[in-house]
Amino acid sequence: MTAVEQTKVPTSHRFLDEAGDPTFFKKGRILAVGEPGVSLAFSLGMVKFNGDLQPIRAGIRRLQDEIAEDDYLNTIASVAKRVSGGGFYFHATDDSPEVRERMFRFIQSLDCSLEMVVARKIPALFAKKHHHKDSEFYADLLSHLIKNKLKLGQRLVLNIAARGVSTRNMNLELALSKAHERFRKKWSAGEIQSSVVFNVQTPRTEPLLCVADYLCWSVQRVFERGEMRHYEFIREKVSLAVDLYDTAKYEGSGNYYTRERPLTAQNKLSPLLP
């Protein structure tokens, strides 16, 4: 490809965040999945915005400033802590119901979509497939989100919420390598038309990550608690949710959920058997 041709390749941005946690064990190698503070699944989601990103960023920043300056909301401990720590930003897990409502209504107005991979925590699979490493678990999920984007013919910029070792360059490159492997199982290597660039950020530096955080949180609550309220409010934004290890529904892609086939309270995961 010549330099002139390269300049014609369109750039497309995606925004990624996780939900849940990758913890399997507590001290003494005792299984902790499903205990208070330890999720039943670990998930990774990717958001695409249609249209100019700058007005959306500006809108989120305005909303954050409003909350930081609101004398009813800025005394809430979670708000005050972030304000004093460098500036308020949205974080669904810690935000109060009043704060969440403002962000959810803003998200409802956006033209955006979420693709999410939900991985049930299966200890034997974590050992065999991910070698008991959180970073490999993360890389594997990320590869599933990347693989189908390699045919788009774009320079794909993945803006990823920082997560320690998991989002270090070496591990992100591992995810890309896994994505290429998965791609070649379905298509030929010559059909790979996209390049992928990783851009690790925080919600303070990239407000659009807050949208990914909220959407992922809403889907995760369905799987963890069977809670439908927030998911139903933003359901049209969830273009795809994959229950990656629901082997009982693999036939006919029954583990894939779309706008036409949405999640229900029956998608709530059961605790692991002892």
Side-chain angles (χ1 to χ4, degrees), residues 208-251:
L208 296 178
L209 288 174
C210 298
V211 176
D213 168 63
Y214 262 65
L215 291 175
C216 289
W217 181 84
S218 303
V219 173
Q220 184 81 4
R221 299 279 283 196
V222 177
F223 285 93
E224 296 287 337
R225 305 187 181 194
E227 182 184 291
M228 300 301 298
R229 179 188 173 199
H230 299 96
Y231 168 75
E232 288 289 356
F233 191 72
I234 50 82
R235 193 177 84 184
E236 289 304 308
K237 312 299 181 188
V238 184
S239 61
L240 179 66
V242 182
D243 189 350
L244 192 61
Y245 300 140
D246 186 5
T247 55
K249 294 183 180 177
Y250 278 2
E251 186 175 348

Side-chain angles (χ1 to χ4, degrees), residues 134-135 138 163-172:
D134 295 357
S135 57
Y138 184 101
R163 188 188 175 83
V165 175
S166 294
T167 50
R168 288 180 183 170
N169 188 64
M170 183 180 297
N171 201 54
L172 297 177

Side-chain angles (χ1 to χ4, degrees), residues 77-94:
S78 60
V79 175
K81 181 178 180 181
R82 270 169 268 164
V83 170
S84 64
F88 176 76
Y89 62 90
F90 289 101
H91 187 232
T93 299
D94 298 326

Side-chain angles (χ1 to χ4, degrees), residues 9-229:
V9 175
T11 295
S12 182
H13 287 261
R14 302 289 191 277
F15 299 84
L16 294 88
D17 203 356
E18 78 276 351
D21 60 80
T23 302
F24 278 77
F25 303 99
K26 55 188 175 183
K27 190 175 181 180
R29 206 71 165 175
I30 298 171
L31 190 65
V33 175
E35 292 189 0
V38 182
S39 63
L40 293 167
F42 180 56
S43 309
L44 191 62
M46 173 187 290
V47 175
K48 177 185 178 184
F49 297 92
N50 298 311
D52 190 353
L53 300 179
Q54 282 304 107
I56 305 173
R57 282 195 187 97
I60 296 171
R61 288 193 174 108
R62 280 195 301 271
L63 197 53
Q64 290 176 163
D65 289 343
E66 288 174 13
I67 289 167
E69 295 166 7
D70 187 309
D71 57 8
Y72 180 76
L73 298 176
N74 63 18
T75 56
I76 298 170
S78 60
V79 175
K81 181 178 180 181
R82 270 169 268 164
V83 170
S84 64
F88 176 76
Y89 62 90
F90 289 101
H91 187 232
T93 299
D94 298 326
D95 287 340
S96 68
E98 303 99 316
V99 172
R100 283 193 197 124
E101 181 186 1
R102 295 207 186 182
M103 185 56 167
F104 273 117
R105 291 195 182 281
F106 179 82
I107 291 172
Q108 194 182 48
S109 72
L110 300 177
D111 184 1
C112 65
S113 59
L114 170 76
E115 294 181 24
M116 188 159 168
V117 178
V118 180
R120 302 164 180 231
K121 291 184 187 173
I122 304 171
L125 192 61
F126 184 57
K128 181 179 180 180
K129 193 177 184 67
H130 307 124
H131 308 103
H132 287 118
K133 293 182 178 179
D134 295 357
S135 57
E136 290 192 26
F137 194 12
Y138 184 101
D140 199 34
L141 295 191
L142 180 54
S143 72
H144 283 280
L145 290 173
I146 295 174
K147 65 182 181 183
N148 291 335
K149 307 295 181 294
L150 295 175
K151 291 185 76 170
L152 296 178
Q154 298 175 337
R155 178 177 178 269
L156 190 64
V157 180
L158 302 184
N159 301 277
I160 300 179
R163 188 188 175 83
V165 175
S166 294
T167 50
R168 288 180 183 170
N169 188 64
M170 183 180 297
N171 201 54
L172 297 177
E173 291 298 331
L174 173 63
L176 183 57
S177 176
K178 286 177 176 285
H180 278 247
E181 289 177 17
R182 289 197 159 98
F183 182 95
R184 289 193 293 268
K185 290 179 180 178
K186 189 172 182 179
W187 300 288
S188 70
E191 292 182 84
I192 295 177
Q193 300 292 322
S194 297
S195 62
V196 177
V197 177
F198 297 107
N199 187 19
V200 179
Q201 303 204 61
T202 71
R204 278 200 174 98
T205 59
E206 178 47 87
L208 296 178
L209 288 174
C210 298
V211 176
D213 168 63
Y214 262 65
L215 291 175
C216 289
W217 181 84
S218 303
V219 173
Q220 184 81 4
R221 299 279 283 196
V222 177
F223 285 93
E224 296 287 337
R225 305 187 181 194
E227 182 184 291
M228 300 301 298
R229 179 188 173 199

